[in-house]
Amino acid sequence: MSLVKLTIKGISYSQTQNGAYALILNEVDGERNLPIVIGAFEAQSIAIALEKEIKPPRPLTHDLFKNFADRFEIVVKQVIIHKLVDGVFFSSIICERDKIEEIIDARTSDAIALALRFNAPIFTYKNILDKAGIYLNMNPHDEEKSNSEDDDVLSTPETFGFKEDDAAKLEDYSSYSLQELYDKLEEAVQNEDYEKAAKIRDEISKKES
């Protein structure tokens, strides 16, 4: 079976499963996307790994695993999403130490959180993408055929950690200066409020662009 390389497109809040998030993976040489429902902790860990400038004051679980692996010269070579059963994705972490390769079973969310920290590629098999892959950029005719549950889960694929109806409750950072934003970013990271930190980081990026 042929492997298909994937990249992370974004994380959205799942409106169909309370407290869950949808991790959106995109095939590198195509337009299909693979949505995977993950928990809040895993979503936070993946989001922090994506936000290179947000450094937790203490290592999270996946950071601790990375530090442990580095100390004992274990390298994560790649992650493969190898099976889909009843809506649940199964993954393997391909590791190497002293030129000996090992395969470790893992939850997909954990595997991807570690792949980001090791800069390891993420793959799935073509038959899994054929079965579960969807197109997000659909024309109106195709959109009518879309499963309504997918529409809910993928309604805001580039957003981490916030429901649409919660947006009004968030602090508006547009009036702050860059220095004030950097101060608030540092404060949010020290308080381990990573959702707030991600929001502030977005505002900084807008002002610096």
Side-chain angles (χ1 to χ4, degrees):
M1 290 184 289
S2 59
L3 287 173
V4 179
K5 189 173 183 180
L6 303 170
T7 58
I8 296 177
K9 184 179 180 67
I11 304 173
S12 69
Y13 189 86
S14 173
Q15 297 177 17
T16 59
Q17 297 191 38
N18 188 33
Y21 293 80
L23 171 66
I24 314 301
L25 302 175
N26 181 69
E27 63 176 327
V28 171
D29 296 320
E31 298 180 356
R32 287 177 296 181
N33 295 270
L34 191 66
I36 300 174
V37 176
I38 61 176
F41 171 79
E42 292 78 12
Q44 182 186 73
S45 183
I46 291 170
I48 289 171
L50 291 171
E51 290 282 352
K52 301 298 183 183
E53 295 187 33
I54 296 179
K55 303 295 183 185
R58 297 174 297 170
L60 301 178
T61 302
H62 297 109
D63 298 319
L64 179 61
F65 184 97
K66 173 66 163 60
N67 295 340
F68 181 90
D70 288 344
R71 182 65 61 89
F72 291 95
E73 299 181 347
I74 300 169
V75 178
V76 171
K77 305 292 290 185
Q78 63 183 7
V79 163
I80 300 177
I81 303 171
H82 63 83
K83 186 167 64 173
L84 173 62
V85 179
D86 296 330
V88 178
F89 292 90
F90 293 77
S91 293
S92 295
I93 301 174
I94 314 301
C95 302
E96 185 180 275
R97 181 174 184 266
D98 295 334
K99 297 183 180 180
I100 299 175
E101 191 173 273
E102 298 285 351
I103 301 176
I104 300 175
D105 181 49
R107 295 187 307 168
T108 298
S109 53
D110 290 328
I112 291 174
L114 290 173
L116 285 171
R117 287 161 170 81
F118 282 90
N119 294 316
I122 303 166
F123 296 94
T124 192
Y125 289 110
K126 183 178 181 297
N127 66 318
I128 292 178
L129 198 56
D130 289 341
K131 181 179 179 181
I134 63 171
Y135 292 89
L136 290 183
N137 297 322
M138 299 178 291
N139 62 46
H141 177 71
D142 292 334
E143 192 167 3
E144 290 176 3
K145 301 177 183 178
S146 175
N147 183 292
S148 60
E149 180 176 331
D150 288 340
D151 289 341
D152 288 339
V153 172
L154 307 177
S155 59
T156 52
E158 299 299 336
T159 304
F160 165 66
F162 303 107
K163 298 181 186 179
E164 270 188 56
D165 55 7
D166 286 340
K169 302 175 184 178
L170 297 175
E171 185 175 355
D172 181 8
Y173 297 106
S174 60
S175 61
Y176 289 96
S177 67
L178 271 175
Q179 185 56 54
E180 289 172 329
L181 287 171
Y182 275 111
D183 290 342
K184 284 188 171 291
L185 177 62
E186 178 66 22
E187 180 184 355
V189 171
Q190 290 301 319
N191 292 333
E192 301 185 26
D193 188 348
Y194 301 118
E195 292 185 11
K196 183 177 181 180
K199 184 71 174 177
I200 297 170
R201 180 64 249 176
D202 289 344
E203 188 61 38
I204 290 173
S205 297
K206 289 180 187 177
K207 288 183 178 292
E208 290 184 336
S209 61

